[in-house]
Amino acid sequence: MVACGCKCETTEQAQLIEQLDRIIDEYRGQPRGLIQVLHKAQELVGYCPKWVQVRVAEGLGVSLQEVYGVVTFYALFSLIPKGRHKISVCAGTACYVKGTKMVVKAIRQHLGIKPGQTTEDSRFSLETVRCIGACGLAPAMIIGKDVHGRLEPEQIPEILEQYQ
Amino acid sequence: MAMITLTIDKQKVAVKEGTTILEAAKQLGINIPTLCYLKEINVIGACRICMVEVQGARTFVAACVAPVAEGMVVRTNTAAVVKARKLVLELILSDHPMECLTCVRNQNCELQRLAEAFGLTEIRFQGATTDYPVDDSSPAIVRDPRKCVLCRRCVSVCAEVQTVRAITAQERGFKTLIAPAFNQGLSEVACVNCGQCALVCPTGAIHEKDDIDKVWAALADPKKHVVVQTAPAVRVTVGEALGMAPGSIVTGKMVAGLRHLGFDKVFDTDFTADLTILEEGNELLQRVNGGGTLPMITSCSPGWIKFIEHFYPDLLPHLSTCKSPQQMFGALAKTYYAQKAGVDPADVFCVSIMPCTAKKFECERPEMNSSGYQDVDVVLTSRELARMFKRVGINLAALPVEEYDAPLGISTGAGEIFGATGGVMEAALRTVYEVVTGKTLDNLDFEMVRGLDGVKEATVPVGDLNVKVAVANGLGNARKLMDAIKAGTADYHFIEIMCCPGGCIGGGGSPIPTNTEIRNKRIAATYVEDKNMPLRKSHENPAVQALYAEFLEKPLGHKSHELLHTKYTPRGQYPEQ
């Protein structure tokens, strides 16, 4: 393996880099694989910090500018660490009308974070997203892979407690 | 190719299939306004200023990207079209600082011209404005995102023409920013300072760093002995920035203008271009005869040097060790010339007028101080020189024709053609041929290395050796040759690379606009200058001969190595992880 050059002090980080390199290997030297690689890299690392972007850029043979442009263009990619459980509150038209704001407020009261933030214990991160295609369940949110619909503010604490 | 007939503003026109409405209209003499469009480089329909009405189409279409179709009926000037364009312009201006009076592009701005053409008298829309900070970290290029209209011309030229990719669009919507990743400064990333971005920017969002105040200060300082050198390309370009036609040759008038500004001596980079040929020509022969690294590559172009340092650091041994003519000049101005003139080198202030923004970076390289001082103190681009002339009311056209000062102003046609792609190669061939064979060349014009083709090749018999050469202009073309060297398929002896398309006459510090048609006119003027010179071979330059006799002794000698040769810095293209 190539020396990573980062400040990896633990074997855990070294392992992370090795796993990242395996993801990159699938598209090594192929700029067209950028979004796929970033997607998997974010799944692995949890977000797309600079060192991941540099390693991906080098591996695929694209400039760091191109990688950063893609990472900041798509809402999917994040430059800051995400919590173990990602809460995506739908802000599509139907949900918005039925109470997106109310849902966000209830989460904020319970967890103390605003959209775009992560709790200090890295348990949750919160964001609002465009229509998730569950208009019939408005207002709705997704936590991890679970969809929660027809939300009332008083249900929020109970739902959040299911995720540790 | 199939021909398509369509009607534009009630006139029929037949054009080749695939032509855009914009280009078809041009054939009829109909000018559709554009802003983001840059022929062959940035054709993306982003700004919508070029909207036209197409019969049967659901909406207005962007003429710069819409291909013509058989029987199409286009209207370019209906009231509805003009109203829609005006609205687009007003929306662009709603997030543009109204600083035209203090903007570097005042009176040479495409956005300003559109505002004037549309007769805007007020800004109807007031709202949020972009407030990204100015990036002046680079010694060559300044970015001011507030003035950016997001046309992407700079992004295209940097990525597609130069293959550098130092800037790109990041974020999205209102937050969109054209910058290096993580909004780093240009000095922190693999930017080569070529300035092609500044050359194509329609506004003042990317421009050269203006250094003229440093020069005014030196000129006003009675202790300073201020000398100036002018690059080969400046004399065939700077007139444009002062209202003259492309291709105007203003050599002698420019010399007079520089004296009028107060420079103590007006010298010529063409002199050290001739000197470069002697050093570089001998270096080539030494490599060919002594088994050195081949192909040898020219090292005159500082944008190219930074490019190879970043992107092909393993090929650095291929570079000639010769400094660029600008830096050779600086080193000699503060040694040979200072001695000869009886001036303390500490008091010599050396100014360069260059068609180039990368030269500003080059003169600040830490190794460029072999005279014991920073060899070249300030580099001004052609645009900045024009600004100095304007400030004191110099009308170049009305000035007399004057001569450069001796000895560093004496040059040949070979030095002059350094300004155009292929020129360094041609100058080298003129000298190498005669030095090696001892015969006189019948025809000095090496046509096969001239012109705007991206990569040119030639084989020239020099005595027993068939010298195989290649010439590339624009870094995208340079990249092709570097990849060939890496693949082992480049069996050349000598390669000339100029960073900017067309060579220095298309440099990033040239008058705006610079396009293919204008580049061709400047190149033609360059060869006219060459033909007009009494001497056209570097080794016949009497001042260069005297320099060797009195000071340097011989090409590649000890003093030459000390003053005229340099080393390079491998840089890599990615930041430390």
Side-chain angles (χ1 to χ4, degrees), chain B residues 18-26 32-40 42-52 61-68 85 151:
Chain B
T19 306
T20 60
I21 295 175
L22 180 77
E23 295 296 329
K26 225 168 243 169
I32 297 170
T34 57
L35 182 61
C36 70
Y37 175 77
L38 193 63
K39 195 175 177 179
E40 284 161 13
N42 196 52
V43 184
I44 59 173
C47 76
R48 318 309 282 183
I49 280 288
C50 67
M51 285 186 295
V52 295
V61 302
C64 73
V65 286
V68 296
R85 285 182 191 154
C151 70

Side-chain angles (χ1 to χ4, degrees), chain B residues 255 259 263-268 403-410:
Chain B
V255 170
R259 282 210 183 94
F263 287 100
D264 292 298
K265 291 286 174 189
V266 181
F267 290 138
D268 198 351
E403 295 285 323
Y404 283 102
D405 287 305
L408 307 193
I410 294 169

Side-chain angles (χ1 to χ4, degrees), chain A residues 67-84:
Chain A
V67 176
Y68 185 76
V70 167
V71 168
T72 56
F73 184 87
Y74 292 105
L76 170 74
F77 299 117
S78 174
L79 287 166
I80 55 167
K82 290 288 177 189
R84 291 194 296 283

Side-chain angles (χ1 to χ4, degrees), chain A residues 55 58 62 65 68 72-73, chain B residues 165 168 170-172 181 574:
Chain A
R55 208 158 183 91
E58 236 176 325
V62 299
Q65 276 61 247
Y68 185 76
T72 56
F73 184 87
Chain B
R165 301 184 172 89
T168 192
Q170 46 194 258
E171 303 290 346
R172 60 191 298 174
Y574 298 104

Side-chain angles (χ1 to χ4, degrees), chain B residues 281-300:
Chain B
N282 278 292
E283 185 185 356
L284 177 66
L285 294 174
Q286 200 178 61
R287 289 195 191 201
V288 170
N289 298 329
T293 306
L294 290 174
M296 186 177 88
I297 314 175
T298 58
S299 53
C300 303

Side-chain angles (χ1 to χ4, degrees), chain A residues 32-83:
Chain A
R32 69 183 171 88
L34 180 56
I35 289 181
Q36 286 88 327
V37 169
L38 281 174
H39 201 156
K40 287 184 184 168
Q42 176 156 299
E43 257 172 33
L44 174 73
V45 182
Y47 68 117
C48 290
K50 189 171 175 182
W51 72 266
V52 168
Q53 295 186 42
V54 172
R55 208 158 183 91
V56 169
E58 236 176 325
L60 268 56
V62 299
S63 77
L64 182 61
Q65 276 61 247
E66 287 162 291
V67 176
Y68 185 76
V70 167
V71 168
T72 56
F73 184 87
Y74 292 105
L76 170 74
F77 299 117
S78 174
L79 287 166
I80 55 167
K82 290 288 177 189

Side-chain angles (χ1 to χ4, degrees), chain B residues 289-344:
Chain B
N289 298 329
T293 306
L294 290 174
M296 186 177 88
I297 314 175
T298 58
S299 53
C300 303
S301 169
W304 151 242
I305 295 301
K306 193 145 183 276
F307 180 83
I308 185 174
E309 287 176 337
H310 279 301
F311 297 96
Y312 295 91
D314 44 332
L315 297 184
L316 286 173
H318 288 271
L319 279 183
S320 160
T321 59
C322 287
K323 285 181 184 173
S324 71
Q326 143 162 305
Q327 292 303 142
M328 286 194 185
F329 182 94
L332 290 174
K334 295 192 180 183
T335 54
Y336 173 66
Y337 167 71
Q339 259 174 42
K340 230 176 145 67
V343 187
D344 182 350

